[in-house]
Amino acid sequence: MVRKAIIPAAGLGTRMLPATKAVPKEMLTIVDKPVIQYVVEEAIDSGIAHILVITSKGKNSMRDHFSKDFPNAAYYREKGKTEVLERLETIGHCKIEFIEQSDLNGLGGAIYLGKDFIGDEPFAVLLGDTICDFEDRNPVLGQLIDVYNQFKSSVTAIEEVPADYVNRYGIMGGDALSDGIYKVSQWVEKPEPELAPSRLAIAARYVFTPAIFQCLEKTTKGRNNELQVTDAMHNLLNAEDMYGLQFKGTRFDVGNPLGFIKTNLHFGLKEAKMGEELRDWLGNETPGL
Ligand code: G1P
């Protein structure tokens, strides 16, 4: 059973400066919730009971956000604001721990910090700056866990990207089975388009067997002189089968200004009342209040 998840959220947020000078990119607001709350909710809705968030220096507000002991609780209680209290108290209603990554050593280095927390069981990884919206009430991580349960092997969310985007992603090589499932033969991190085995890109959600930790130990630093989880995944192929799943849903990268605005619009338009007003406003040629 996949019960534990690691959420890497240690990145600097350089593409969102100056907004991220003092506020972690994972704490930026989409409609009325910080990005990391969407990610934690996806994990919980997929059956995860225990989460480890990998943070870095200056990102304590994530810890505060999930604290049960929040400022103003006594005030809301005294005023009988039970609705407000309920909304705040149920944030991240599962066990969440935090660990600080002192030297930034890529996604592989961040995930490796979760080795003792995970122990000897399969686990999920959800990138903390990426929201995945989904269809049919099954979150993207839930879809991956279904495939894990079928094969008892690692499975990664993949999506097709344009050819000139492949050098921004981890790319998969392999063969299609059925229902969007691929048997993987190759992983390569951010290849140039002419060297890419396909246009199928890793999309921020993974389920791993614990064997990935031994692979991370043996993998040497790759792109940007950092430990790349994609390189460790490629090494894991020597020992275990791996699968890719073209998931049902949409990935939103919130770590750049255009992605951030698109994500806010997407989720704003989904809200019943706000969506209606927003749609009208977007159709208005002279936008104002
Ligand atoms: C990371 C991974 C990459 C993956 C991407 C999106 O890259 O290294 O393999 O495709 O996330 O999930 P980053 O966007 O952190 O550079």
Side-chain angles (χ1 to χ4, degrees):
M1 232 166 94
V2 184
R3 304 176 309 127
K4 292 184 182 173
I6 296 175
I7 301 184
L12 298 178
T14 311
R15 288 175 301 163
M16 287 298 276
L17 282 169
T20 47
K21 189 176 174 213
V23 177
K25 61 178 166 172
E26 297 82 2
M27 283 300 289
L28 296 175
T29 308
I30 302 298
V31 183
D32 59 358
K33 289 191 289 195
V35 174
I36 186 97
Q37 191 177 333
Y38 287 83
V39 179
V40 165
E41 286 172 359
E42 178 187 343
I44 295 172
D45 291 344
S46 304
I48 298 296
H50 202 165
I51 292 174
L52 177 69
V53 182
I54 315 291
T55 70
S56 56
K57 211 170 156 38
K59 294 184 121 182
N60 283 342
S61 55
M62 282 193 276
R63 207 185 282 255
D64 294 344
H65 184 70
F66 290 101
S67 166
K68 301 282 174 262
D69 177 26
F70 51 92
N72 305 333
Y75 171 83
Y76 290 128
R77 211 162 286 129
E78 204 175 291
K79 296 279 174 205
K81 304 241 180 221
T82 43
E83 232 176 80
V84 178
L85 270 174
E86 248 166 54
R87 247 206 122 194
L88 297 182
E89 279 170 352
T90 51
I91 289 175
H93 216 53
C94 80
K95 229 169 145 193
I96 305 186
E97 293 176 36
F98 295 83
I99 185 172
E100 209 175 273
Q101 188 178 16
S102 47
D103 55 333
L104 294 184
N105 182 20
L107 188 51
I111 294 171
Y112 190 71
L113 288 178
K115 185 173 184 268
D116 290 343
F117 167 81
I118 296 298
D120 194 26
E121 51 181 294
F123 65 100
V125 171
L126 304 96
L127 303 193
D129 63 356
T130 304
I131 299 177
C132 288
D133 201 10
F134 53 93
E135 299 158 11
D136 304 335
R137 294 198 196 158
N138 195 4
V140 174
L141 180 61
Q143 297 170 39
L144 293 186
I145 292 175
D146 289 345
V147 177
Y148 171 81
N149 289 336
Q150 192 180 340
F151 295 101
K152 297 287 183 282
S153 298
S154 299
V155 47
T156 301
I158 49 168
E159 68 179 339
E160 200 166 272
V161 297
D164 54 345
Y165 277 36
V166 293
N167 59 5
R168 301 180 185 186
Y169 296 96
I171 299 293
M172 189 206 89
D175 298 313
L177 300 180
S178 59
D179 303 325
I181 302 174
Y182 288 77
K183 178 113 191 295
V184 180
S185 59
Q186 190 185 356
W187 293 111
V188 45
E189 180 68 2
K190 305 194 173 119
E192 286 314 315
E194 58 279 11
L195 297 175
S198 75
R199 291 195 284 117
L200 296 171
I202 297 174
R205 301 290 184 264
Y206 313 75
V207 172
F208 289 122
T209 65
I212 192 70
F213 290 117
Q214 282 84 59
C215 291
L216 282 165
E217 277 163 15
K218 289 187 201 133
T219 301
T220 48
K221 289 186 179 187
R223 240 189 123 87
N224 289 342
N225 202 28
E226 290 176 340
L227 183 53
Q228 299 294 343
V229 71
T230 310
D231 296 341
M233 287 160 67
H234 186 70
N235 293 337
L236 182 57
L237 284 167
N238 292 322
E240 294 185 0
D241 288 345
M242 294 184 87
Y243 295 88
L245 175 70
Q246 244 177 333
F247 57 93
K248 293 195 176 88
T250 313
R251 177 183 60 93
F252 292 94
D253 177 359
V254 192
N256 66 83
L258 181 61
F260 175 74
I261 288 173
K262 282 183 183 171
T263 314
N264 257 309
L265 280 176
H266 171 83
F267 284 95
L269 287 165
K270 273 180 80 166
E271 298 273 315
K273 183 156 186 321
M274 184 193 298
E276 207 176 297
E277 286 188 26
L278 192 54
R279 210 163 279 118
D280 286 350
W281 182 80
L282 285 168
N284 192 336
E285 280 173 25
T286 50
L289 284 180

